[in-house]
Amino acid sequence: MAGVPEDFKQIKTLRDLLEINYKIVGAKEQLRRNLISKIKSKSMTYPGIIGFDDDVIPALDRAILACHDMILVGQIGQAKTRIAQTIAETLLSPMPLIRGSITNDCPMDIPPSDLISLLEDKENYMSIPKFYVDGDSIEKIRNNKLDTPIEWVEGRHRFKYVLATPDISVKDLVGQIDAIKITKKGTEMYEIESYSPGQLMQAKHGLFCIDELPVLDTRKQ
């Protein structure tokens, strides 16, 4: 599958990833390459989805090959959510993520210069307010260095489903500056350690499905 080394199960630490010079293949590119591979081998692309071969399936193929986002419109019970879940299960490749990460963090998300600074324990190596990996993942790399544990997470575990309800806030979706983290850790507001990731960031390197989108008001949409 796209972006997966042949002996990937033997790669268990940050050191192993660096030794093979692992490069991240983005989720949309994973979907595209894996779909092309399945079409060429005449494998089943969307197992369990029945009755949509003449209309929905060709449209899905075109959207994935073009790396588009998708809106599925239909009546209740027409397998819209099941289609999204099947795409994640069959067309997303396994990825090496920092063990226990809630935001699907891969060490290769961090720019090389920042990763080197982190491994060398330099202070203020990531003081800019930009999200590469979650603060907990930063701590794991700082504490374990090249022995930071890695686990290969399959696509079905990187599928994030959210049911839209009127009480969902923008903060729930995109995250927020967490006053509790600022108080407990003594971090500055502009530092990434003070940020609590929302549902979208928790779907990083995966597939994000929001159901009943029209329920959200225009601003949230």
Side-chain angles (χ1 to χ4, degrees), residues 13-104:
T13 64
L14 172 55
R15 178 184 286 105
D16 297 336
L17 282 179
L18 293 173
E19 286 178 351
I20 66 167
N21 195 25
Y22 177 80
K23 302 294 184 184
I24 291 177
V25 176
K28 288 185 177 181
E29 186 63 20
Q30 289 179 24
L31 296 178
R32 180 179 179 276
R33 290 192 200 176
N34 291 333
L35 177 59
I36 291 172
S37 177
K38 285 183 176 294
I39 290 173
K40 286 182 176 179
S41 64
K42 297 183 179 180
S43 301
M44 186 174 292
T45 51
Y46 311 102
I49 303 302
I50 300 170
F52 293 150
D53 293 344
D54 297 330
D55 41 30
V56 176
I57 298 303
L60 287 176
D61 288 347
R62 287 193 296 270
I64 292 173
L65 293 173
C67 295
H68 284 178
D69 297 322
M70 287 176 272
I71 297 179
L72 304 180
V73 181
Q75 299 297 322
I76 294 175
Q78 288 190 316
K80 299 184 296 298
T81 304
R82 179 58 188 161
I83 286 173
Q85 188 174 1
T86 299
I87 291 172
E89 291 175 350
T90 60
L91 298 180
L92 282 177
S93 305
M95 282 194 69
L97 308 178
I98 297 171
R99 185 176 298 165
S101 167
I102 65 170
T103 51
N104 298 332

Side-chain angles (χ1 to χ4, degrees), residues 93-145:
S93 305
M95 282 194 69
L97 308 178
I98 297 171
R99 185 176 298 165
S101 167
I102 65 170
T103 51
N104 298 332
D105 294 330
C106 175
M108 302 300 106
D109 286 322
I110 304 173
S113 58
D114 286 333
L115 181 57
I116 291 171
S117 297
L118 181 55
L119 291 172
E120 292 178 350
D121 250 346
K122 292 182 179 178
E123 294 294 327
N124 299 322
Y125 60 90
M126 286 179 70
S127 60
I128 58 174
K130 187 170 182 179
F131 191 103
Y132 296 115
V133 298
D134 186 58
D136 290 339
S137 295
I138 292 174
E139 285 299 318
K140 289 176 182 177
I141 296 176
R142 180 188 288 129
N143 294 333
N144 296 286
K145 300 293 189 291

